[in-house]
Amino acid sequence: MERRQLSNTDLQVSPVCLGTWQFNAGKADETWPAQDEQVSKDIVNKAFELGVNFFDSAEAYGRHASERVLGKALEGRRRDAIVATKFGGGHKRYTAVDVESSLQESLQALQTDYVDLYQVHWASFMSGVTEIVGELKRQQAKGRIRHYGVCNFGAKQLAEFCEAGGACVTNQVPYNLLWRAVEYEVLPACSERNVSVLSYSPLQQGLLSGRFHTPEDVPEGRRRTRHFSCQSTSLSKHGQGGEETATFQAISSLRDACAKEDIPMSSAALSWILGRQGVASVIVGCRIPQQLEDNCKLATLSQEFDKQLTEATEELKEKFGLNPDMWAKVSRYN
């Protein structure tokens, strides 16, 4: 598998990154079913076999549980992996002391003495930008993190972070054919500041796999986004009517276009994202090793086919507008 260099770093990462939110040590959450630790390890083994060297986790994924599972799976081959994780969880606003404590817990969970990419999970998790930037620099100087970035930052939040002296190398945002809000302001801001984009939910939690034909087909925990009516699940927090009809019309159009090209829908969706300017890697989660293998089968898209995919979701993009927050009633981006 090819390698892509993250902006302003020496990190050479695979274009497919293994997301480990589903590494839950056998404990289901509101989004993902329970996954046995051996299955998680088998997925990591498959990643190395396929040439995937980039792994993304977070403190918030089961209160370091995902990191613990990943750390065990990487035992003996840590130097062959580029590991990214994040600090922040709940409604807490982190001080410098909190960041140091969270990082220490992450290092212990991952069974390592450094993290390649340490990320602020949401801007709202920072007690103050200047304080947090200073702490990230301090931890970088100590060699405990190689580089740092952000996650879920809007254009103004990114500007504030960088203007406080932050050497931000990545911004991890939700981006896929069915969720293109970041194209309005966030992607241009990243391009302006030479910040690499990491795309999470590149298959919109399975909607772009082609398996689901109606909203009712989708597991309840994945109906929390603004694609679905807030009445679809008690887990929803956005309080809006959703865009179920437009979403599934777009999925149908994408399915038909992919069938004509004889390209699996998931392959087309991931390849489309990786063709966007500034996108370094797509973060995919997996239930089983075969799913990762399928998601690594990237395709070369013709200009015409790329255009068809874009046009098929243009109306949906316009309906959702500028707000990149899929879940909250009040956007956490600015």
Side-chain angles (χ1 to χ4, degrees):
M1 187 173 290
E2 68 165 307
R3 295 290 183 258
R4 295 184 172 197
Q5 187 165 348
L6 298 184
S7 297
N8 303 310
T9 77
D10 58 352
L11 301 179
Q12 298 279 342
V13 304
S14 50
V16 174
C17 171
L18 179 58
T20 62
W21 187 1
Q22 289 157 296
F23 287 19
N24 53 29
K27 295 181 180 179
D29 63 19
E30 60 186 12
T31 304
W32 304 113
Q35 183 174 102
D36 185 80
E37 280 196 46
Q38 185 57 51
V39 174
S40 301
K41 185 174 182 180
D42 291 343
I43 291 171
V44 171
N45 291 340
K46 176 61 70 172
F48 282 109
E49 178 186 318
L50 295 167
V52 172
N53 73 336
F54 195 16
F55 303 86
D56 180 72
S57 189
E59 168 190 0
Y61 300 165
R63 297 182 179 179
H64 298 285
S66 165
E67 294 172 328
R68 284 190 288 273
V69 174
L70 179 60
K72 292 177 185 177
L74 290 177
E75 191 172 356
R77 47 192 177 180
R78 170 65 183 91
R79 303 292 169 177
D80 298 325
I82 292 177
V83 176
T85 194
K86 317 173 195 73
F87 75 82
H91 301 286
K92 181 177 179 178
R93 294 176 68 84
Y94 281 53
T95 64
V97 173
D98 294 324
V99 171
E100 181 174 40
S101 175
S102 179
L103 175 58
Q104 181 59 36
E105 288 187 59
S106 289
L107 293 174
Q108 291 174 350
L110 289 163
Q111 300 182 35
T112 186
D113 56 2
Y114 71 98
V115 170
D116 297 285
L117 178 64
Y118 199 47
Q119 302 156 99
V120 185
H121 207 150
W122 288 89
S124 59
F125 290 158
M126 298 186 296
S127 60
V129 178
T130 301
E131 178 182 3
I132 298 306
V133 166
E135 181 60 20
L136 291 171
K137 287 183 174 182
R138 191 175 77 87
Q139 295 297 337
Q140 188 176 39
K142 293 175 69 173
R144 301 175 83 198
I145 59 177
R146 293 177 65 188
H147 302 280
Y148 55 88
V150 298
C151 184
N152 299 305
F153 271 46
K156 292 179 182 178
Q157 291 162 332
L158 181 63
E160 185 179 15
F161 188 88
C162 294
E163 288 164 8
C168 178
V169 301
T170 55
N171 188 8
Q172 185 181 144
V173 294
Y175 188 26
N176 60 67
L177 276 163
L178 301 176
W179 193 257
R180 295 169 53 193
V182 294
E183 292 181 353
Y184 289 105
E185 298 177 344
V186 178
L187 296 192
C190 290
S191 177
E192 179 184 345
R193 295 183 180 277
N194 195 27
V195 171
S196 290
V197 173
L198 305 178
S199 162
Y200 74 80
S201 293
L203 295 177
Q204 191 50 56
Q205 297 184 332
L207 291 185
L208 287 165
S209 68
R211 297 197 310 273
F212 306 121
H213 293 262
T214 69
E216 293 72 28
D217 294 339
V218 181
E220 183 181 6
R222 299 187 225 171
R223 298 201 303 268
R224 295 182 295 135
T225 69
R226 284 165 50 213
H227 298 88
F228 301 92
S229 166
C230 64
Q231 302 299 317
S232 179
T233 168
S234 60
L235 299 172
S236 177
K237 296 179 180 178
H238 59 71
Q240 299 177 14
E243 294 291 349
E244 293 178 4
T245 299
T247 294
F248 281 86
Q249 284 178 345
I251 291 172
S252 180
S253 296
L254 292 170
R255 187 184 289 111
D256 291 345
C258 291
K260 289 178 182 177
E261 292 290 322
D262 195 25
I263 296 176
M265 192 169 167
S266 57
S267 296
L270 294 172
S271 301
W272 183 88
I273 287 286
L274 287 167
R276 302 310 100 185
Q277 183 177 1
V279 175
S281 191
V282 291
I283 302 171
V284 298
C286 300
R287 289 178 293 104
I288 56 175
Q290 183 61 48
Q291 194 173 28
L292 179 59
E293 187 165 350
D294 292 341
N295 288 339
C296 286
K297 294 175 181 176
L298 302 175
T300 300
L301 309 183
S302 67
Q303 288 186 345
E304 180 59 31
F305 184 44
D306 186 285
K307 182 180 178 183
Q308 288 178 18
L309 298 177
T310 303
E311 291 177 347
T313 60
E314 197 67 35
E315 181 181 350
L316 192 62
K317 171 187 173 181
E318 292 173 3
K319 284 180 178 292
F320 283 128
L322 279 65
N323 177 14
D325 196 329
M326 283 195 273
W327 300 282
K329 190 170 186 178
V330 177
S331 180
R332 291 164 288 180
Y333 287 76
N334 67 49

